Amino acid sequence: MLLAAATNVYAQPVDPYAEPPATKPTPPAPKPTPPASPMPAPLPPLPAPNVWSPPPAVPPGAQDPLLAEQVAISLADRAQELLDSKMYLDAKQLAVEAVVKSPTGPAAERARVIIRQANAALGIVEAPPPPADVKITDDKFSDRDQQPVPPPADTTTHSGKTASLVHGALFGGTVGAMIGSFFADNEAAGAVPMGIALGAVGAFTAPMIAKKYHATESQVRTVGAGSVWGGVVGGLIGGTAEGANGGTTTGSGVLVGATIGSAVGILGTVGFAQDKKLTTGDVALIDTLGGIGTVGGLTIGMLMQPAQREAYSLNSAVGAAAGVVVGFVLAPQTNTTPRRMLRVAGLSVAAGALPFLLYAGIHDKHGTWDERLTGGLSSLGLLGGAVVGFYLTRHVDEGLDVPDDDTKKADPDDAPLALVGRSSAGTWNLGGVGVAPLSTTLVTGAPQRGMAFSLVGATF
């Protein structure tokens, strides 16, 4: 069968120099499929649409809070200077601008205090602050952000009754003692009882005069300071004039000078007090400087050791007058209260009295060096004690030196409804007939209410 199936064979010899045929590259093995995750990965966020929107509103001053606060501090500092100079309206305006410029900064708190003090000085009554917000559960409204408010200035109006009583008694007693000194051989025998009698009259009438003219305490104290220091200077000058050139100083001569000086002081300060230029603190400063000048004149006399003893009283009169004049000039430019000046005067007196303890140990009967040393040290002590007192009390009652405001003005039309009525201004007028029903309990068993009308009514 093989032989029968044999056929012709066609063959081609292999070329040993031929290049081997190119073979197809073997495909890489397929990568294993990772296991499916339980949750698909989140898709990236879509880009924001290119749509323009206006920027959010920014409150004034928020773009540069540091600069706004610096401007507010400058405004508050200037407002404080104007307040100290008693330019209350301008001070309030600058303080309001400071609050607007930086409402939440430290300068705003100072500015609000200045506004309250200016309002008090201008007689503007502020509305009471709203009650604190109640803290609720969602903490949206809370009182934790509220800042403590400093107490307002003491703007209580004083009638000056006590001051008028004291100064009236002093002036009446001076006049009475002067009159009584001429009616007895012993000047004291006539001056003492007459001084007590007229002093009581002055204490009774002076408050009535002050009330009639609706004088505030600062006005009464201003006139009283003129009366007191005018009397001190007049009495010292009267004694000096009598004792000069070997003369004899008498009590009546001193009292005459004191009476004249006191009357001149009253007349000279009444017009000044009507303008309300001084506060009670200003008058306290005048009294303090006047007292330091009076005592300082005597201690300087000890240092000088003059040939005539009347030079002591003359020095004291000059010192008192100089102290009062300086006080009148400086008082409107200072921040003083009676309480502060009481401390200043106490320190000055204590420092001036200390050298006299030294004088008790160094007293020399045969020389004057001990008196000169004591007088010089005492004069320096008076001045140094006052300076130290002013420095130590520089923050006492700060901002409370404000003018008295007589808020309760007399109204000529506030008389009660009556046939004859008196108003708080002191005027009597014919009114009308006001009929008012009476209570049935006044008359037991009355069938109906009774009727009554007022004959005389008064308001004080």
Side-chain angles (χ1 to χ4, degrees), residues 63 95 109 123 152 167 184 237 272 292 298 305 312 319 349 352 406 408 457:
Q63 295 181 357
E109 295 301 325
H167 288 295
I237 292 178
F272 190 83
I292 293 175
L298 297 175
Q305 290 295 307
Y312 283 93
V349 170
D406 190 6
K408 188 177 179 182

PDB file of all heavy atoms in Angstrom, residues 63 95 109 123 152 167 184 237 272 292 298 305 312 319 349 352 406 408 457:
ATOM      1  N   GLN A  63     -12.257  96.816  58.588  1.00  0.00           N
ATOM      2  CA  GLN A  63     -11.175  96.471  57.685  1.00  0.00           C
ATOM      3  C   GLN A  63      -9.815  96.766  58.310  1.00  0.00           C
ATOM      4  O   GLN A  63      -8.845  96.083  58.038  1.00  0.00           O
ATOM      5  CB  GLN A  63     -11.335  97.244  56.377  1.00  0.00           C
ATOM      6  CG  GLN A  63     -12.586  96.843  55.604  1.00  0.00           C
ATOM      7  CD  GLN A  63     -12.712  97.605  54.307  1.00  0.00           C
ATOM      8  OE1 GLN A  63     -11.898  98.461  54.004  1.00  0.00           O
ATOM      9  NE2 GLN A  63     -13.734  97.276  53.531  1.00  0.00           N
ATOM     10  N   ALA A  95     -16.606 112.455  72.234  1.00  0.00           N
ATOM     11  CA  ALA A  95     -16.772 111.123  72.807  1.00  0.00           C
ATOM     12  C   ALA A  95     -17.719 110.273  71.972  1.00  0.00           C
ATOM     13  O   ALA A  95     -17.507 109.066  71.786  1.00  0.00           O
ATOM     14  CB  ALA A  95     -17.284 111.246  74.248  1.00  0.00           C
ATOM     15  N   GLU A 109     -15.298 102.479  75.992  1.00  0.00           N
ATOM     16  CA  GLU A 109     -15.743 102.521  77.381  1.00  0.00           C
ATOM     17  C   GLU A 109     -15.409 103.867  78.021  1.00  0.00           C
ATOM     18  O   GLU A 109     -16.224 104.454  78.727  1.00  0.00           O
ATOM     19  CB  GLU A 109     -15.081 101.383  78.162  1.00  0.00           C
ATOM     20  CG  GLU A 109     -15.496  99.992  77.706  1.00  0.00           C
ATOM     21  CD  GLU A 109     -16.992  99.776  77.824  1.00  0.00           C
ATOM     22  OE1 GLU A 109     -17.587 100.313  78.785  1.00  0.00           O
ATOM     23  OE2 GLU A 109     -17.571  99.104  76.966  1.00  0.00           O
ATOM     24  N   GLY A 123     -27.026 118.785  82.626  1.00  0.00           N
ATOM     25  CA  GLY A 123     -28.382 118.621  83.133  1.00  0.00           C
ATOM     26  C   GLY A 123     -29.248 117.707  82.301  1.00  0.00           C
ATOM     27  O   GLY A 123     -30.475 117.754  82.392  1.00  0.00           O
ATOM     28  N   PRO A 152     -22.222 106.650  88.038  1.00  0.00           N
ATOM     29  CA  PRO A 152     -22.274 108.010  87.493  1.00  0.00           C
ATOM     30  C   PRO A 152     -21.726 109.015  88.487  1.00  0.00           C
ATOM     31  O   PRO A 152     -21.533 108.726  89.664  1.00  0.00           O
ATOM     32  CB  PRO A 152     -23.788 108.223  87.252  1.00  0.00           C
ATOM     33  CG  PRO A 152     -24.448 107.319  88.240  1.00  0.00           C
ATOM     34  CD  PRO A 152     -23.553 106.122  88.367  1.00  0.00           C
ATOM     35  N   HIS A 167     -22.106 130.381 107.449  1.00  0.00           N
ATOM     36  CA  HIS A 167     -21.559 131.676 107.030  1.00  0.00           C
ATOM     37  C   HIS A 167     -22.414 132.839 107.547  1.00  0.00           C
ATOM     38  O   HIS A 167     -21.875 133.918 107.853  1.00  0.00           O
ATOM     39  CB  HIS A 167     -21.462 131.738 105.512  1.00  0.00           C
ATOM     40  CG  HIS A 167     -20.373 130.880 104.954  1.00  0.00           C
ATOM     41  ND1 HIS A 167     -19.036 131.113 105.206  1.00  0.00           N
ATOM     42  CD2 HIS A 167     -20.418 129.775 104.157  1.00  0.00           C
ATOM     43  CE1 HIS A 167     -18.309 130.201 104.588  1.00  0.00           C
ATOM     44  NE2 HIS A 167     -19.118 129.376 103.945  1.00  0.00           N
ATOM     45  N   ALA A 184     -18.960 148.934 126.177  1.00  0.00           N
ATOM     46  CA  ALA A 184     -18.515 148.532 127.510  1.00  0.00           C
ATOM     47  C   ALA A 184     -17.041 148.883 127.640  1.00  0.00           C
ATOM     48  O   ALA A 184     -16.303 148.959 126.657  1.00  0.00           O
ATOM     49  CB  ALA A 184     -18.738 147.026 127.732  1.00  0.00           C
ATOM     50  N   ILE A 237      -5.358 143.634 108.615  1.00  0.00           N
ATOM     51  CA  ILE A 237      -4.912 144.974 108.214  1.00  0.00           C
ATOM     52  C   ILE A 237      -5.311 146.012 109.267  1.00  0.00           C
ATOM     53  O   ILE A 237      -4.552 146.944 109.579  1.00  0.00           O
ATOM     54  CB  ILE A 237      -5.494 145.330 106.845  1.00  0.00           C
ATOM     55  CG1 ILE A 237      -4.864 144.443 105.769  1.00  0.00           C
ATOM     56  CG2 ILE A 237      -5.254 146.802 106.517  1.00  0.00           C
ATOM     57  CD1 ILE A 237      -5.412 144.679 104.387  1.00  0.00           C
ATOM     58  N   PHE A 272     -20.234 137.499  91.133  1.00  0.00           N
ATOM     59  CA  PHE A 272     -19.442 136.390  90.587  1.00  0.00           C
ATOM     60  C   PHE A 272     -20.164 135.062  90.772  1.00  0.00           C
ATOM     61  O   PHE A 272     -20.111 134.183  89.909  1.00  0.00           O
ATOM     62  CB  PHE A 272     -18.086 136.358  91.289  1.00  0.00           C
ATOM     63  CG  PHE A 272     -17.104 135.417  90.663  1.00  0.00           C
ATOM     64  CD1 PHE A 272     -16.360 135.801  89.570  1.00  0.00           C
ATOM     65  CD2 PHE A 272     -16.918 134.150  91.179  1.00  0.00           C
ATOM     66  CE1 PHE A 272     -15.449 134.940  88.988  1.00  0.00           C
ATOM     67  CE2 PHE A 272     -16.011 133.283  90.619  1.00  0.00           C
ATOM     68  CZ  PHE A 272     -15.266 133.677  89.513  1.00  0.00           C
ATOM     69  N   ILE A 292      -3.545 128.171 103.861  1.00  0.00           N
ATOM     70  CA  ILE A 292      -2.098 127.958 103.789  1.00  0.00           C
ATOM     71  C   ILE A 292      -1.362 129.298 103.700  1.00  0.00           C
ATOM     72  O   ILE A 292      -0.317 129.500 104.335  1.00  0.00           O
ATOM     73  CB  ILE A 292      -1.761 127.058 102.581  1.00  0.00           C
ATOM     74  CG1 ILE A 292      -2.301 125.645 102.805  1.00  0.00           C
ATOM     75  CG2 ILE A 292      -0.263 127.019 102.339  1.00  0.00           C
ATOM     76  CD1 ILE A 292      -2.124 124.726 101.610  1.00  0.00           C
ATOM     77  N   LEU A 298       2.609 133.897 108.741  1.00  0.00           N
ATOM     78  CA  LEU A 298       3.134 133.937 110.110  1.00  0.00           C
ATOM     79  C   LEU A 298       4.463 133.210 110.214  1.00  0.00           C
ATOM     80  O   LEU A 298       5.390 133.672 110.890  1.00  0.00           O
ATOM     81  CB  LEU A 298       2.111 133.315 111.063  1.00  0.00           C
ATOM     82  CG  LEU A 298       0.762 134.040 111.171  1.00  0.00           C
ATOM     83  CD1 LEU A 298      -0.189 133.251 112.056  1.00  0.00           C
ATOM     84  CD2 LEU A 298       0.947 135.455 111.704  1.00  0.00           C
ATOM     85  N   GLN A 305      11.967 137.614 111.314  1.00  0.00           N
ATOM     86  CA  GLN A 305      12.211 138.294 112.580  1.00  0.00           C
ATOM     87  C   GLN A 305      12.197 139.813 112.399  1.00  0.00           C
ATOM     88  O   GLN A 305      13.213 140.509 112.557  1.00  0.00           O
ATOM     89  CB  GLN A 305      13.542 137.856 113.190  1.00  0.00           C
ATOM     90  CG  GLN A 305      13.550 136.431 113.711  1.00  0.00           C
ATOM     91  CD  GLN A 305      12.602 136.242 114.877  1.00  0.00           C
ATOM     92  OE1 GLN A 305      12.651 136.966 115.879  1.00  0.00           O
ATOM     93  NE2 GLN A 305      11.701 135.273 114.736  1.00  0.00           N
ATOM     94  N   TYR A 312       4.059 140.721 111.461  1.00  0.00           N
ATOM     95  CA  TYR A 312       3.508 139.368 111.399  1.00  0.00           C
ATOM     96  C   TYR A 312       2.098 139.376 110.817  1.00  0.00           C
ATOM     97  O   TYR A 312       1.758 138.593 109.932  1.00  0.00           O
ATOM     98  CB  TYR A 312       3.489 138.750 112.799  1.00  0.00           C
ATOM     99  CG  TYR A 312       4.833 138.269 113.289  1.00  0.00           C
ATOM    100  CD1 TYR A 312       5.650 139.095 114.052  1.00  0.00           C
ATOM    101  CD2 TYR A 312       5.262 136.987 112.994  1.00  0.00           C
ATOM    102  CE1 TYR A 312       6.871 138.661 114.515  1.00  0.00           C
ATOM    103  CE2 TYR A 312       6.496 136.533 113.455  1.00  0.00           C
ATOM    104  CZ  TYR A 312       7.296 137.370 114.209  1.00  0.00           C
ATOM    105  OH  TYR A 312       8.516 136.930 114.659  1.00  0.00           O
ATOM    106  N   GLY A 319      -0.363 136.946 102.737  1.00  0.00           N
ATOM    107  CA  GLY A 319      -0.434 135.525 102.383  1.00  0.00           C
ATOM    108  C   GLY A 319      -1.855 135.058 102.154  1.00  0.00           C
ATOM    109  O   GLY A 319      -2.125 134.288 101.213  1.00  0.00           O
ATOM    110  N   VAL A 349      -1.015 120.916 106.847  1.00  0.00           N
ATOM    111  CA  VAL A 349      -0.943 121.342 108.247  1.00  0.00           C
ATOM    112  C   VAL A 349      -0.006 120.430 109.036  1.00  0.00           C
ATOM    113  O   VAL A 349       0.794 120.891 109.868  1.00  0.00           O
ATOM    114  CB  VAL A 349      -2.359 121.358 108.857  1.00  0.00           C
ATOM    115  CG1 VAL A 349      -2.287 121.555 110.368  1.00  0.00           C
ATOM    116  CG2 VAL A 349      -3.193 122.470 108.231  1.00  0.00           C
ATOM    117  N   GLY A 352       3.548 121.254 108.177  1.00  0.00           N
ATOM    118  CA  GLY A 352       3.949 122.551 108.726  1.00  0.00           C
ATOM    119  C   GLY A 352       4.078 122.552 110.233  1.00  0.00           C
ATOM    120  O   GLY A 352       4.810 123.379 110.802  1.00  0.00           O
ATOM    121  N   ASP A 406     -29.330 123.361  89.838  1.00  0.00           N
ATOM    122  CA  ASP A 406     -30.574 123.472  90.598  1.00  0.00           C
ATOM    123  C   ASP A 406     -31.716 122.967  89.734  1.00  0.00           C
ATOM    124  O   ASP A 406     -32.417 123.714  89.068  1.00  0.00           O
ATOM    125  CB  ASP A 406     -30.810 124.928  91.010  1.00  0.00           C
ATOM    126  CG  ASP A 406     -31.952 125.054  92.007  1.00  0.00           C
ATOM    127  OD1 ASP A 406     -32.458 124.008  92.443  1.00  0.00           O
ATOM    128  OD2 ASP A 406     -32.332 126.194  92.326  1.00  0.00           O
ATOM    129  N   LYS A 408     -34.486 121.612  90.592  1.00  0.00           N
ATOM    130  CA  LYS A 408     -35.828 121.871  91.089  1.00  0.00           C
ATOM    131  C   LYS A 408     -36.064 123.378  91.073  1.00  0.00           C
ATOM    132  O   LYS A 408     -35.896 124.083  92.061  1.00  0.00           O
ATOM    133  CB  LYS A 408     -35.995 121.306  92.501  1.00  0.00           C
ATOM    134  CG  LYS A 408     -37.424 121.379  93.011  1.00  0.00           C
ATOM    135  CD  LYS A 408     -37.546 120.750  94.380  1.00  0.00           C
ATOM    136  CE  LYS A 408     -38.979 120.839  94.894  1.00  0.00           C
ATOM    137  NZ  LYS A 408     -39.120 120.274  96.236  1.00  0.00           N
ATOM    138  N   GLY A 457     -54.234 126.996  99.987  1.00  0.00           N
ATOM    139  CA  GLY A 457     -53.304 125.916  99.638  1.00  0.00           C
ATOM    140  C   GLY A 457     -51.935 126.486  99.325  1.00  0.00           C
ATOM    141  O   GLY A 457     -51.808 127.638  98.887  1.00  0.00           O
TER     142      GLY A 457
END
